[in-house]
């Protein structure tokens, strides 16, 4: 019996069917060896984009009234099949990304758990925020009409997977399952760095859609090594929303293309973030070495290829600062060089660290040992080396380019004159996904102004921890002000991610039988509703 990794075809998956295309050929590459992987894939063209979206639009008409139980069952089935086919998925993703199999196994568990969480959300239905205001026909001077509103899916969603999470933020990741829970069809643009893993995950989803007896146009996955197919997806008149995780340059290009459409659509792009770590004096004095160890571990998680990677730290000058910096260098020197996800990321990392080194006042104080000749990967494949820079905090305020993310295991540790300068840097920051504070509880209470500033700068504020590692749940907000995202109101991880793909529709004076189930008087879905200004109990 063939294992799933041997089922790769290199074809597009459009509405449940494998479709050959004539676009430019490309292959996955093993970043640990530099060798190409089979099979060959081809770029999707205008015909494939149009066909996928036409099928998605037709599927949307069916999905809007599909039973909630069917949508929930689909998502549960996806989770089940991901786990059943996990070994093949992990093996292929490991080959294409060089990520450790242990890490990928944990990511697969997260991916399946996300699908199950959205299955429960779809079945519950309370996410749709049903609101009812009953009519008051006798009200003077004018009668009050019956008004009801509920969130409903927006239509076909274009999803762009992330290169650094080939399972959890890719074809079967949060974006896709959140859109499905909102009854939206999805067209995924596969990531060119792991096309094989994309096809394997897409096959699982297409088979689950067929199992649930939902329209096959509910899901398609297009492969492409360039920008043409992605831009065509965004510009197509049938696309209703876009979800993207990647670089600032890529996200902004899609955002601008969507805004330039005759009918603009929202682009929910997660992009660049420096994720600052603020170390208050009390914490630096008491825990300098402990914080340094955790900081370097966070910095090098996944070879620094996390969107929450701590790209800068700040502490007040003095003996505690020196102790912290020395401990950081000791820990960083022990980090072995490692292959990055693909050659493009490695090139950008090398360019970014060279740019930092060229800025007067920025000093490279330590780096992990460069690989010896015998330690290099086959065929001279380059590896990323952890690099620690320092600078005076005042430089950050004078050089805007220091706010730019360097994606990889590099960071700048800023020396502040006092806590007032630390606060000034916080005020001068651009938007970020996270901000971290290390301090005592008393210090935190005294630094209320810093917390208030960071509330305006970041989507998640961490106390006495580190920003890498997310806990997908209802309370998580993985987003932040620009340039971290294009819309800071929404999260791309956790069950609240569903709200990117829904919009409110209001019904006035509708007969009960013509209303969506969530708004009918008898509440057949048993969802929690806001009725005449009062939030009702669940199942009442």
């Amino acid at each position: 019996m063939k294992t799933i990794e041997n089922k790769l075809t290199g074809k597009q998956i459009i509405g449940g069917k494998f479709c050959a295309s004539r676009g430019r050929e490309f292959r996955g590459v093993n970043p640990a060896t530099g060798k190409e992987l089979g099979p060959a894939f081809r770029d999707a063209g205008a015909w494939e984009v149009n066909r996928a979206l036409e099928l998605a639009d037709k599927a949307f008409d069916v999905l809007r009234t599909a039973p909630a139980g069917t949508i929930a069952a689909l998502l549960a089935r996806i989770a089940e099949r991901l786990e059943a086919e996990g070994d093949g998925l992990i093996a292929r993703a490991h080959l294409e990304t060089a990520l450790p199999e242990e890490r990928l196994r944990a990511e697969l568990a997260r991916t399946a758990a996300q699908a199950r969480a959205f299955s429960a959300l779809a079945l519950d239905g309370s996410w749709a925020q049903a609101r009812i205001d009953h009519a008051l026909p006798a009200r003077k001077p004018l009668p009050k009409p019956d008004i009801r509103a509920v969130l409903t899916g927006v239509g076909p969603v274009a999803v762009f997977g992330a290169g650094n999470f080939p399972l959890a933020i890719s074809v079967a990741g949060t974006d896709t399952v959140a859109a499905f829970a909102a009854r939206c069809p999805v067209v995924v643009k596969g990531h060119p760095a792991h096309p094989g893993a994309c096809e394997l995950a897409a096959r699982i989803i297409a088979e689950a859609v067929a199992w649930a007896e939902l329209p096959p146009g509910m899901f398609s996955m297009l492969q492409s090594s360039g920008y043409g197919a992605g831009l065509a997806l965004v510009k197509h008149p049938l696309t209703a929303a876009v979800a993207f995780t990647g670089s600032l340059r890529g996200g902004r290009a899609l955002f601008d293309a969507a805004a330039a459409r005759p009918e603009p659509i929202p682009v929910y792009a997660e992009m660049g973030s420096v994720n600052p770590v603020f170390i208050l004096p009390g914490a630096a004095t008491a825990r300098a070495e402990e914080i340094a160890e955790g900081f370097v571990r966070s910095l090098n998680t996944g070879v620094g290829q996390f969107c929450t990677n701590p790209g800068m730290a700040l502490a007040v000058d003095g003996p505690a600062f020196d102790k912290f910096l020395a401990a950081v260098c000791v820990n960083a020197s022990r980090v072995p060089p490692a292959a990055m996800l693909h050659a493009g990321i490695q090139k950008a990392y090398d360019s970014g660290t060279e740019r930092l080194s060229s800025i007067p006042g920025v000093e490279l104080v330590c780096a992990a040992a460069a690989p010896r000749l015998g330690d290099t990967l086959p065929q001279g494949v380059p590896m990323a080396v952890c690099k620690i820079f320092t600078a005076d905090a005042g430089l950050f305020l004078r050089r805007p380019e220091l706010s730019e993310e360097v994606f990889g295991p590099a960071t700048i540790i800023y020396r502040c004159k006092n806590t007032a300068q630390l606060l000034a840097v916080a005020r001068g920051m651009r938007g970020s996904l996270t901000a971290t504070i290390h301090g005592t509880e008393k210090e935190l209470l005294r630094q209320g102004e810093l917390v208030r500033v960071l509330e305006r700068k970041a989507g998640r504020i961490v106390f006495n921890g580190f920003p890498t590692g997310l806990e997908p749940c209802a309370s998580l907000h993985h987003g932040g002000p620009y340039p971290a995202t294009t819309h800071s109101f929404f999260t791309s991880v956790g069950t609240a991610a569903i709200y990117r793909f829904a919009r409110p529709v209001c019904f006035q004076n509708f007969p009960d039988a013509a209303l969506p189930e969530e708004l009918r008087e008898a509440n057949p879905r048993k969802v929690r509703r806001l009725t005449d200004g009062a939030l009702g109990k669940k199942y009442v």
Side-chain angles (χ1 to χ4, degrees):
M1 181 177 179
K2 288 186 176 181
T3 58
I4 189 169
E5 65 268 27
N6 292 327
K7 296 178 181 178
L8 291 172
T9 67
K11 296 180 179 180
Q12 320 293 344
I13 298 178
I14 302 176
K17 295 181 179 180
F18 290 90
C19 302
S21 56
R22 299 181 180 179
R24 181 177 57 186
E25 183 178 294
F26 69 99
R27 292 173 179 263
V29 175
N30 186 332
T33 65
K35 293 183 178 179
E36 291 187 337
L37 302 167
F41 297 84
R42 290 187 178 274
D43 290 348
W47 183 89
E48 288 90 351
V49 170
N50 187 63
R51 179 61 176 162
L53 283 165
E54 285 182 342
L55 290 173
D57 192 58
K58 291 179 181 178
F60 183 49
D61 288 335
V62 177
L63 294 176
R64 293 169 70 183
T65 56
T70 302
I71 302 297
L74 165 70
L75 292 163
R77 176 73 173 185
I78 290 171
E80 176 186 319
R81 297 310 301 158
L82 284 169
E83 291 170 336
E85 304 284 10
D87 289 345
L89 266 172
I90 289 167
R92 181 69 187 198
H94 171 66
L95 285 176
E96 292 180 324
T97 66
L99 292 171
E101 291 190 5
E102 183 180 357
R103 144 73 197 273
L104 289 167
R105 199 163 295 281
E107 187 179 332
L108 179 71
R110 169 180 159 180
T111 309
Q114 289 173 167
R116 288 195 173 95
F118 281 100
S119 173
L121 194 72
L123 192 61
D124 175 81
S126 296
W127 70 271
Q129 299 180 355
R131 304 186 299 278
I132 298 173
D133 284 278
H134 288 103
L136 296 174
R139 189 184 68 174
K140 302 297 183 181
L142 294 173
K144 176 186 175 183
D146 185 277
I147 299 178
R148 307 181 183 216
V150 69
L151 296 178
T152 187
V154 296
V157 175
V159 169
F160 292 74
N164 58 340
F165 279 86
L167 304 176
I169 313 180
S170 191
V171 174
T174 310
D175 298 328
T176 297
V177 294
F180 283 172
R183 301 168 185 262
C184 294
V186 170
V187 179
V188 175
K189 192 268 188 188
H191 198 284
H194 52 262
C198 285
E199 182 182 324
L200 295 179
R203 185 186 190 109
I204 287 170
I205 296 174
E207 290 175 350
V209 169
W211 171 87
E213 298 183 348
L214 287 163
M218 179 180 186
F219 175 76
S220 295
M221 193 275 296
L222 306 177
Q223 302 275 19
S224 177
S225 61
Y227 305 111
L231 284 171
L233 280 172
V234 173
K235 294 178 179 179
H236 198 285
L238 294 178
T239 301
V242 177
F244 170 88
T245 299
S247 68
L248 174 59
R249 179 181 177 184
R252 186 56 195 257
L254 298 182
F255 179 83
D256 290 345
R261 289 173 36 142
E263 296 182 7
I265 57 172
V267 173
Y268 301 106
E270 181 207 313
M271 304 177 295
S273 183
V274 295
N275 305 299
V277 176
F278 295 83
I279 305 170
L280 300 177
T285 300
R287 300 187 289 113
E289 293 178 340
E290 176 189 336
I291 296 170
E293 181 181 358
F295 179 79
V296 173
R297 185 168 55 248
S298 179
L299 174 65
N300 287 276
T301 300
V303 199
Q305 298 167 116
F306 274 33
C307 51
T308 52
N309 189 49
M312 61 184 286
L314 306 97
V316 175
D317 193 12
F321 179 95
D322 295 336
K323 187 176 181 180
F324 170 73
L325 181 59
V328 166
C329 287
V330 168
N331 283 277
S333 67
R334 298 170 178 165
V335 177
M340 301 191 83
L341 290 163
H342 56 79
I345 287 183
Q346 179 71 58
K347 183 178 179 181
Y349 176 68
D350 291 340
S351 175
T353 53
E354 288 174 10
R355 174 176 57 80
L356 292 180
S357 297
S358 70
I359 299 175
V362 176
E363 179 186 0
L364 176 64
V365 291
C366 59
R372 297 168 297 178
L373 182 61
D375 295 334
T376 54
L377 293 171
Q379 301 179 1
V381 174
M383 292 189 281
V385 174
C386 176
K387 296 183 178 181
I388 309 298
F389 298 85
T390 62
D392 288 335
L395 187 66
F396 180 87
L397 300 173
R398 298 193 300 272
R399 300 295 296 257
E401 64 268 35
L402 290 174
S403 295
E404 298 174 9
E405 177 189 35
V406 175
F407 193 66
T411 193
I412 305 177
I413 299 176
Y414 289 97
R415 192 185 302 264
C416 300
K417 295 178 182 178
N418 47 41
T419 54
Q421 189 175 45
L422 187 147
L423 179 62
V425 171
R427 292 188 184 281
M429 283 173 42
R430 302 179 77 189
S432 192
L433 291 169
T434 75
T436 298
I437 302 173
H438 280 272
T440 66
E441 290 189 13
K442 289 183 178 179
E443 277 185 309
L444 184 66
L445 293 174
R446 290 197 301 268
Q447 293 294 329
E449 188 174 3
L450 174 62
V451 174
R452 289 191 294 274
V453 169
L454 295 181
E455 286 175 355
R456 299 180 64 180
K457 300 290 184 175
R460 177 167 59 103
I461 306 173
V462 180
F463 181 60
N464 284 346
F466 295 95
T468 45
L470 297 175
E471 181 62 40
C473 60
S475 301
L476 181 71
H477 186 81
H478 188 57
Y482 186 87
T485 70
T486 49
H487 203 317
S488 64
F489 292 14
F490 296 92
T491 181
S492 60
V493 180
T495 52
I498 195 171
Y499 294 111
R500 296 171 298 166
F501 310 128
R503 66 180 184 86
V505 175
C506 181
F507 299 87
Q508 183 167 325
N509 289 336
F510 259 56
D512 192 74
L515 287 166
E517 286 188 330
E518 295 88 347
L519 297 179
R520 292 177 190 172
E521 200 64 24
N523 194 8
R525 293 275 318 273
K526 305 299 181 186
V527 300
R528 181 172 295 181
R529 309 190 295 194
L530 186 70
T531 303
D532 296 326
L535 184 62
K537 294 181 179 180
K538 196 172 182 180
Y539 306 132
V540 173

